Amino acid sequence: MKPTREVDCLGMRCPLPIIVIAKEILNSNNGELLRLLSDDPATWPDLQAWSRMTGNTVSRQSETNFIVVRQNQSGQDSR
Amino acid sequence: MAQITRNFTSEGPLHLAAREALESAFDQGWADPRKLSHQSAKARVLKNEAIESIASNLHISAEKLEFIGEARLGHYYSIAGLLRPQDLLLHSVVDKSEILALARSRASMGLPVSLDGQIDISPALAPPSVDRVFAVQIANGETGVIQNYTEIIREFPEARIACDFSSAGIALPLPERWDSAFFDSKSWQGPEGVGILAINSAHKWINPLPHIGPARVPGSVSLPLIMASAIALEAKKKEFDGQAIRLREISKYLRKEISSTIAHCDIAGNLESSLPHINSLSFLYVEGEELLRQLDNAGYALDSGSACSADDLAPSHVLAAMGVLTHGNIRITLHASSTQDEVRDLVQEIRRVVEGIRSR
């Protein structure tokens, strides 16, 4: 599957990339893939923690390129 | 009216007993104990008494102790003293930055940690092809997580063991087997600037810095501060058990209140396997610096492991290694004087500030 949207957070400092992707996830459908671009060093560790806390899944394609998938399940953050 | 700031940072005031003795210590212990004068002889006696007292309270014989004026250098002395050029240094990725810096300059293996902060030794369990030194963290200063160090050391019978007691202090006993250990006087409310290096196996440890003569460390440490450290340790030892029980109860209350009233809070480590006075909490979607600043304005001084609060703008390597949220982090360190009422008020303030930041 390919990402349906690209969310560009390059140049943003933490926690902004996580706040932005959380809002974008709200506007996506279950199972939809989003590409997140971020060069903040806290993004990858925080994406993984966010995934654990909200149930959405994440993967890292490169240092600045991440895939985020919305998962509708209990514990889903509804921010 | 000046606002009273309640201190929940990792630094605390000198122990009252040490503070009261400090002036007299400076009055009597100013001479160089290595010289021949009457005053020097007196300083020598005071130094020996202080060292004997510290040794007795740490359960280590006095001749094994060395004192270091730049305390953080103690990590280097403790580990590099055991490490030969061809050796492999085993350490954990949640070690203090001084240890990580040493590891980067040598052949080393950084062991990962689990979400609860416990070291995963499995990558190092294969039979070694080289001699190894294991830098074993006893407890983490940022999260309070206590390692299963007795079991860890048992798994590496051939390795030389350098224990980092700089955060654990007197909260935990020495392991059955160790070769060097490092303590920081601050961990028992002693003064800054007194690092204590214990060398258990003198034949395995060599002064790692260029030196002339038999001295194991430079020895440029203030005698009055060693005396104050000894007095603080003596006093802390007597009150420690009662304080630990009380602070653990307050930490339990703090963690329960926070997690039950504020959504999306990530707490680093389990209190059951942590030092009783350290609590590291991260709030999703909250900027750590803003949180710290607003709490400071409300009269609460705290620390943070978030990137925006660090000099190098990098997130805490400890939180990142554990997989704990690194942004929106605050570290609440309880002190002997901390009360549950203070913590209840602090929790209310944290709730107010976090909700305010999230609602923007």
Side-chain angles (χ1 to χ4, degrees):
Chain A
M1 280 177 70
K2 286 187 172 178
T4 52
R5 267 183 296 151
E6 188 171 281
V7 181
D8 185 353
C9 293
L10 292 169
M12 289 184 193
R13 301 287 307 166
C14 78
L16 268 179
I18 305 296
I19 292 176
V20 170
I21 198 68
K23 284 181 178 165
E24 291 292 334
I25 276 286
L26 269 186
N27 300 323
S28 63
N29 299 314
N30 187 29
E32 191 176 341
L33 270 69
L34 303 186
R35 185 188 304 283
L36 169 68
L37 301 177
S38 170
D39 52 1
D40 185 89
T43 294
W44 180 233
D46 280 1
L47 264 185
Q48 294 171 88
W50 175 76
S51 163
R52 174 172 50 79
M53 294 168 85
T54 63
N56 298 303
T57 52
V58 297
S59 61
R60 177 160 67 168
Q61 309 296 301
S62 73
E63 284 292 306
T64 57
N65 182 341
F66 310 93
I67 297 294
V68 180
V69 186
R70 177 170 177 159
Q71 305 288 346
N72 273 344
Q73 55 189 54
S74 63
Q76 164 79 35
D77 175 38
S78 56
R79 179 184 163 84
Chain B
M1 201 174 83
Q3 186 179 4
I4 298 167
T5 298
R6 289 175 177 84
N7 178 37
F8 293 101
T9 65
S10 55
E11 290 78 30
L14 193 61
H15 195 288
L16 186 61
R19 225 182 313 167
E20 285 172 357
L22 205 53
E23 190 176 340
S24 156
F26 273 103
D27 209 32
Q28 297 178 56
W30 53 268
D32 185 342
R34 292 168 296 187
K35 293 186 177 173
L36 279 174
S37 71
H38 179 74
Q39 279 300 334
S40 288
K42 191 174 170 185
R44 211 156 39 238
V45 170
L46 292 170
K47 185 178 181 184
N48 289 342
E49 282 175 2
I51 292 175
E52 285 292 345
S53 167
I54 290 172
S56 157
N57 281 312
L58 294 181
H59 305 293
I60 302 172
S61 59
E63 74 273 9
K64 293 181 176 176
L65 299 184
E66 298 289 349
F67 291 78
I68 298 167
E70 175 51 73
R72 288 183 189 182
L73 260 183
H75 293 293
Y76 181 78
Y77 273 103
S78 178
I79 300 164
L82 297 173
L83 196 61
R84 309 289 168 265
Q86 66 279 11
D87 293 349
L88 179 74
L89 172 60
L90 297 176
H91 68 100
S92 82
V93 292
V94 295
D95 276 327
K96 291 203 165 157
S97 54
E98 292 83 3
I99 298 173
L100 299 184
L102 172 60
R104 279 179 199 171
S105 71
R106 304 292 184 98
S108 63
M109 180 190 282
L111 299 171
V113 294
S114 56
L115 184 60
D116 61 5
Q118 295 296 329
I119 300 172
D120 173 10
I121 56 171
S122 57
L125 286 177
S129 54
V130 290
D131 286 346
R132 301 189 293 188
V133 172
F134 199 150
V136 179
Q137 182 176 77
I138 305 301
N140 189 280
E142 202 173 315
T143 61
V145 170
I146 298 168
Q147 297 299 336
N148 292 322
Y149 58 96
T150 304
E151 288 75 14
I152 291 174
I153 292 169
R154 214 171 278 152
E155 293 288 343
F156 296 88
E158 96 299 343
R160 292 186 287 278
I161 303 294
C163 297
D164 174 12
F165 272 90
S166 60
S167 299
I170 56 169
L172 296 159
L174 281 159
E176 290 164 15
R177 187 173 78 80
W178 58 282
D179 296 303
S180 68
F182 173 64
F183 297 83
D184 189 334
S185 160
K186 284 200 302 178
S187 66
W188 52 76
Q189 274 187 276
E192 166 99 54
V194 181
I196 297 159
L197 170 67
I199 301 166
N200 199 31
S201 311
H203 61 288
K204 294 181 187 171
W205 190 93
I206 299 167
N207 183 347
L209 290 182
H211 57 284
I212 294 170
R216 299 197 287 195
V217 295
S220 53
V221 54
S222 158
L223 172 56
L225 294 188
I226 294 178
M227 292 160 69
S229 178
I231 290 165
L233 176 56
E234 183 78 37
K236 195 72 176 178
K237 191 92 179 179
K238 286 179 188 146
E239 64 203 22
F240 185 81
D241 289 346
Q243 267 177 17
I245 292 168
R246 196 177 70 79
L247 296 183
R248 188 172 293 282
E249 281 304 308
I250 299 178
S251 285
K252 197 172 164 186
Y253 165 81
L254 165 71
R255 292 180 184 217
K256 187 167 171 249
E257 280 296 299
I258 292 273
S259 54
S260 63
T261 61
I262 306 178
H264 297 308
C265 172
D266 210 9
I267 301 178
N270 305 311
L271 183 58
E272 297 73 35
S273 52
S274 297
L275 296 174
H277 63 293
I278 300 176
N279 301 281
S280 175
L281 319 165
S282 300
F283 299 95
L284 193 57
Y285 310 127
V286 172
E287 194 198 356
E289 187 181 13
E290 176 71 5
L291 181 56
L292 218 55
R293 195 183 56 74
Q294 287 202 34
L295 288 169
D296 190 58
N297 287 343
Y300 296 97
L302 303 104
D303 296 305
S304 173
S306 292
C308 42
S309 311
D311 291 343
D312 57 0
L313 293 176
S316 152
H317 70 278
V318 175
L319 299 179
M322 289 172 71
V324 172
L325 192 69
T326 73
H327 73 243
N329 177 264
I330 49 173
R331 186 166 63 252
I332 302 170
T333 307
L334 303 179
H335 297 280
S337 59
S338 302
T339 65
Q340 184 153 328
D341 285 350
E342 272 179 357
V343 168
R344 186 196 56 225
D345 294 346
L346 171 63
V347 169
Q348 280 177 9
E349 204 56 38
I350 293 171
R351 192 181 308 140
R352 185 187 70 76
V353 172
V354 167
E355 283 170 3
I357 294 173
R358 281 180 176 168
S359 65
R360 284 182 194 161

